[in-house]
């Protein structure tokens, strides 16, 4: 069965790089075919000693370096969102356990702010995709805030401000110790760090000079191929050149696709699913009642543990 | 003796990649044999200048990059569980030493919560393997909690909540200073981070485009081999092609096997053994009596040190 | 459209390495042409077995290692500035939320110090570019400080001192708790760390021995090329040698360009844009009023959340 | 003189991999010699087109990846022990400076616990080498504790417990502030982390599948060599095959040797020397008298500084 | 101009590896010349099929891995000293701002201890270079301490003790809050960590087995070269062999030179310049007067900000 999957995966179209590169491949193949026509017509187009011009070792190393770099960005993006999940889980647990409830309204405020944590993640997602504040956020905050948010340059920063403001006000109401205020703020800082790190990956692609030079080498390499092969391959030149350019353009394209992992492509990070998981974790947590900060007495606690 | 082991290991079957790839290898070998039959029958199948189509340098670099990436995930998984071990050891020691005991019941509560630490690790293990809450966890917590746990989406998060709730309640009973509450919560946060990091490795394989393109290149490479070799190797073509495809599929398969290190395969992390070690460390610790938080007087302490 | 962009990018001139290397490429091409003249005149200049002298594998590996290292510096530089953005966002939020306002002047002082955070980033940028304190900084601080700053060796350090001094004085006026003072100082320390890390990248290029040896190998490699090729390529020698030297010098040049990412080149980090973003974030924040540290009463806060 | 050393080092036997691999090399050489006999006897054993079966690029990349990975483990092990040294130095300084002395016995207790820090490192060393608690530890702690230690599964954890217990008891005697208790416990946690990290490196070798597959490729490669070379090298086949297998087995062996860096081999970490350095640093420190926590008056301190 | 610099740098002698390797290169060249003499005399020394014995791919990968590893150590060393600079800047600022001055003597003590920070860096530098305590340190501390320092095994540790002792005594005089004492101690701990990390790089070279095996392969490779080339190159053999050995020994030598980056070589870190920068930063800081901890009143502070 494993082997069955192996072949099935090897022949998958959706998610592969083929849709992105087939035009370039056809272009190279056609150029190869054109050269074989010239060869057939007796034009002297065969140069068999050109294979050192762009050394396949150098090109291979550059391509793999390109893919490697892009993968590291992809994986760093994933780590950032993993850290965001961890932060939100920890912050939600700390809010639920550590902030004292003096009235029923306090519990409501806690729940609202735990929802704001999810809203932070959703707003970050939308911000990274250059999508405006939309209905996904509407159910996670009061309408007044929702409309305020629509006017901001950087909505997640605004939400972080609200959460930090809530912590500070709970501290001033003596529902939260000073030391715990700091602990909560540390996790909130880490959430803002994750926003900034995502923006960093989004806004800083691989240096232009590198990107251009690699494309130039690829182009030179592929366009020189027919001249080398036409003597021995004749009419098959076009097909073989297309195959070779497919392997090389494919590797470069992987780099381009995973370099920015925050979009909607099949190869991007499943940000929607991650946000949904956070939301479910928070809803689960709300079903549990903390023994410490609510109205149970100490003896009861000692019995449970 | 060392050399003896070397050869023994080289010929090991269990734990090697052979069981996973032999079908693909036989397929390629058969295809090679089929081509030699065609060659024997005079069909023109020999093309000796195809060896540049998939450059062995490019393929080699991609394969090694694949293995490298998978190994990094394996090793990151190991580090995560190492950190979990460290966290649980530190948290157990801090609970044992730092939480004041006002009655004998308090010591019992401490022991119960130290068991919950192990339960967190076990629940994480089961969660990562998509196995439900089972009897492994039953002995580590009261029945009421055990049944509650069976209903949750993410059992380890629930256990973390119980532990955090215990800390907060001890703080409110004045058995734990505010600073130390925070220190304990920091380690607990780190445990939840490790859960999230494990989930990250589990749920985010290498990008699909990469995985597909590598399989395509491997397939093209192996299927072109017989055409190159049939002229010189004749009937040996099948055997040699099988051997070559064995070396290449083997490297790719290693990547697939160690990419997700949380399963039950021989190449996966020994999570059962790690959990057992944690349990033993905690049981060892319980046999020692802390001089500080229990009822000994200060002079006695000064004498010991 | 994607393919259209691909070709357009491949043929881009600005931002590519061509302006930097074309003279070296022409030099090598001319040398190649000179050798073909000698060959034409019957001078025995053809040595076909020289291609192992500088192994193209070794040269390729060294070039890619060079690029890799330079890219890591570029990316580390970007991370440093990303962390600086995060620090300034977090510090601004904490100042805005956590420092108590006893009078309207206090709010003004908060705003001034939030501007100093941006001034720190701008001063770091100017310091890294060896540009003096200029008008960009003038609008971000009182004139007295601006003129004082013009006399310092390391302006950002001075600004950090002012910010730290402000925190300490707010603590002594009881507008800031001791713990929070420390939390603020921790973030400020991190900002000074980022200054130091940027200086480290700026002032420590790749070791001289490495840089020299790579240039020597490149030169030997390119100057030996004509002797190998003149026999088979004749008058095309110059062109082909130019093409090969273009691919190799180009890779080395990328390394040189991105090694110091703090300048004004198209391939450097967009420090001006990053500073502008920070400024906009701070200005956005000032439009929001914190519920906690200003004069609103607690009930009102509970209603909002 | 440098060149003299260079050649001397190149010809060193002790510490090199020769002792570990010479049998395998002789085996391969003998096999090569056996093939040349068969060739001499007219058996058709020459196949010159086998050199692509195990591509030397793929094998080279795998070997270097193997060495690279092993070196990273070696270096990580070194970092762990470096951190342990740092932790012990810092913890000793903090104990010496920060814990108040109310009587002469208190100073004695401080010295005893600073010795326990060294004992932790020594016990970790012995634990990693699977050596029991021995006389090295006897001089570093009271006899009662020494005998208790002999009965434990994980002696370093026990020592960490004693140290933590000492901190807690000093806090309860008001010789140590609560906040400093936390700072000391943080460093102690880091020491336990280093124990866990060392165990992680020790107990998790490179995945079995990788290790086996590499050995299989090496074996296939070396055993196919004689068939390729016998035609051109005749009786020298054995010698050359031995030389080639020496280079390759040597690289693999380096990986095996440095993968677990905690043993007694010449290539392992100098743990004994590191432990001795720690001990000397602690003894040096004890010769200095802290002005703060002992009985000197404040004026005197102000004069010194 | 850039190209001019390029060629100038390529031909630089000082700082290049030539002085270190020319003897080995001459040795190999002479050996090559000796073989051509034997060839001329008719001794059968030509073996053209030896080029696979030490595969240039494997050798190239090992050499690049060697350089890579050494560079990582160089760069880690630079990071360590960068962190040391950051720590000293932060600690100086915190001392200057946070420690209360009750008398003029207190300010003097602050200045003395800020000088001790520089002394720590200088002492670390001398310690790493195995140079004794010298006059560079004399101006940075009172004579009594200077002479005491001359008797210690590890002078920087002693200085760290003095600084920590100063912090503790200021805390006991109520010039420093407990929380800030800890913040200062954290940075001091980091300085001691940097000392330990530098020692780690200094005392743990690349594993001996690796170093030896690489030298052996290089030697085998270079000594086999003349036998391969003598047939085609005749009297040029010596020159070409010298050129090849120059490229390879050069790469290895770079690794050796930058592996320990703390010495006086042109390729080592500019530790003297770094120490001078620290000193200048501290002297700059002393020219500024902190508003918070000195005798200015609060209103004045509010006006400034």
């Amino acid at each position: 069965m494993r082997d069955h999957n192996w072949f099935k995966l090897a022949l998958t179209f959706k998610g592969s790089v083929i849709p992105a590169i087939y035009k370039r491949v056809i272009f190279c193949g056609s150029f190869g075919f054109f050269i074989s026509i010239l060869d057939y017509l007796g034009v002297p187009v065969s140069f068999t000693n050109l294979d050192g011009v762009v050394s396949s070792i150098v090109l291979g190393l550059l391509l793999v370096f390109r893919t490697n770099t892009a993968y590291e960005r992809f994986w760093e993006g994933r780590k950032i969102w993993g850290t965001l999940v961890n932060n939100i889980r920890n912050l939600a647990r700390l809010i639920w356990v550590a902030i004292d409830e003096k009235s029923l309204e306090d519990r409501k405020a806690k729940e609202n702010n735990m929802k704001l944590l999810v809203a932070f993640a959703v707003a970050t997602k939308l911000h990274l995709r250059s999508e405006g504040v939309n209905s996904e956020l509407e159910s996670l905050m009061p309408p007044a805030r929702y409309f305020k948010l629509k006017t901001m340059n950087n909505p997640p920063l605004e939400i972080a401000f609200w959460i930090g403001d809530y912590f500070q006000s709970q501290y001033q109401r003596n529902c939260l110790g000073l030391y715990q205020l700091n602990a909560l703020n540390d996790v909130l800082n880490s959430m803002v760090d994750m926003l900034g790190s995502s923006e960093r990956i989004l806004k800083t692609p691989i240096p232009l000079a590198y990107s251009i030079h690699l494309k130039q080498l690829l182009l030179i390499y592929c366009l020189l191929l027919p001249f080398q092969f036409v003597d021995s391959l004749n009419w098959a030149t076009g097909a073989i050149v297309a195959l070779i350019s497919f392997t090389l353009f494919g590797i470069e394209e992987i780099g381009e696709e995973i370099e920015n992992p925050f979009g909607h492509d099949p190869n991007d990070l499943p940000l929607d699913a991650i946000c949904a998981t956070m939301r479910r974790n928070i809803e689960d947590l709300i079903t549990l009642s903390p023994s410490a900060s609510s109205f149970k007495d100490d003896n009861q606690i000692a019995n449970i543990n």
Side-chain angles (χ1 to χ4, degrees), chain A residues 33-138:
Chain A
F33 185 68
F34 174 70
I35 297 297
S36 18
I37 293 172
L38 292 185
D39 186 56
Y40 179 74
L41 300 173
V43 184
V45 288
S46 173
F47 299 89
T48 51
N49 40 19
L50 289 174
D51 64 325
V53 174
V54 179
S55 147
S56 68
I57 291 164
V58 171
L59 187 62
L61 286 168
L62 287 181
L63 279 172
V64 168
F65 170 60
R66 174 76 176 92
T67 316
N68 205 344
T69 302
Y71 175 74
E72 275 166 26
R73 296 161 66 95
F74 170 85
W75 193 237
E76 194 185 349
R78 186 60 188 87
K79 275 188 176 170
I80 287 167
W81 275 80
T83 306
L84 196 57
V85 171
N86 297 343
N87 287 337
I88 286 176
R89 283 174 175 175
N90 282 324
L91 207 44
R93 197 189 67 246
L94 287 170
I95 290 176
W96 202 234
V97 168
I99 294 180
D100 255 5
E101 300 169 10
K102 293 186 174 167
S103 67
L104 268 180
E105 269 190 345
D106 286 354
R107 168 156 302 198
K108 195 73 202 141
K110 273 159 107 168
E111 287 180 17
N112 285 342
N113 277 281
M114 282 156 80
K115 275 190 198 156
L116 275 187
L117 299 177
V118 182
F120 180 88
V122 172
T124 301
K125 181 186 71 179
L126 296 173
H127 183 62
L128 293 174
R129 291 176 172 171
S130 303
E131 297 171 2
V133 169
N134 65 22
S135 56
E136 261 191 279
L137 283 169
E138 203 163 6

Side-chain angles (χ1 to χ4, degrees), chain A residues 54 58 129 167 184 212 277 294:
Chain A
V54 179
V58 171
R129 291 176 172 171
F167 294 161
L184 294 177
I212 293 174
T277 301
S294 59

Side-chain angles (χ1 to χ4, degrees), chain A residues 82-216:
Chain A
T83 306
L84 196 57
V85 171
N86 297 343
N87 287 337
I88 286 176
R89 283 174 175 175
N90 282 324
L91 207 44
R93 197 189 67 246
L94 287 170
I95 290 176
W96 202 234
V97 168
I99 294 180
D100 255 5
E101 300 169 10
K102 293 186 174 167
S103 67
L104 268 180
E105 269 190 345
D106 286 354
R107 168 156 302 198
K108 195 73 202 141
K110 273 159 107 168
E111 287 180 17
N112 285 342
N113 277 281
M114 282 156 80
K115 275 190 198 156
L116 275 187
L117 299 177
V118 182
F120 180 88
V122 172
T124 301
K125 181 186 71 179
L126 296 173
H127 183 62
L128 293 174
R129 291 176 172 171
S130 303
E131 297 171 2
V133 169
N134 65 22
S135 56
E136 261 191 279
L137 283 169
E138 203 163 6
S139 63
L140 292 164
M141 62 186 66
R145 294 198 154 171
Y146 176 65
F147 291 111
K148 177 79 184 162
L149 212 58
K150 276 178 171 294
T151 70
M152 305 301 290
N153 285 315
N154 197 326
L157 276 185
E158 165 92 334
I159 296 174
F161 168 77
W162 288 331
I163 298 169
D165 197 37
Y166 168 72
F167 294 161
Q168 188 74 15
S169 67
Q170 294 309 305
Y171 157 64
Q172 290 180 337
R173 293 176 63 228
N174 285 319
C175 292
L176 187 67
L178 180 50
Y179 200 86
Q180 292 201 292
L181 170 63
N182 259 48
L184 294 177
N185 272 329
D186 280 353
V187 186
L188 186 59
N189 284 354
S190 170
M191 285 169 62
V192 173
D193 290 353
M194 294 308 113
L195 166 66
S197 302
S198 298
E199 288 176 339
R200 167 168 55 80
I201 290 180
L202 183 71
K203 288 186 188 158
T204 315
I206 202 167
L208 196 59
Y210 192 91
S211 189
I212 293 174
H213 198 64
L214 180 56
K215 283 181 208 303
Q216 289 171 343

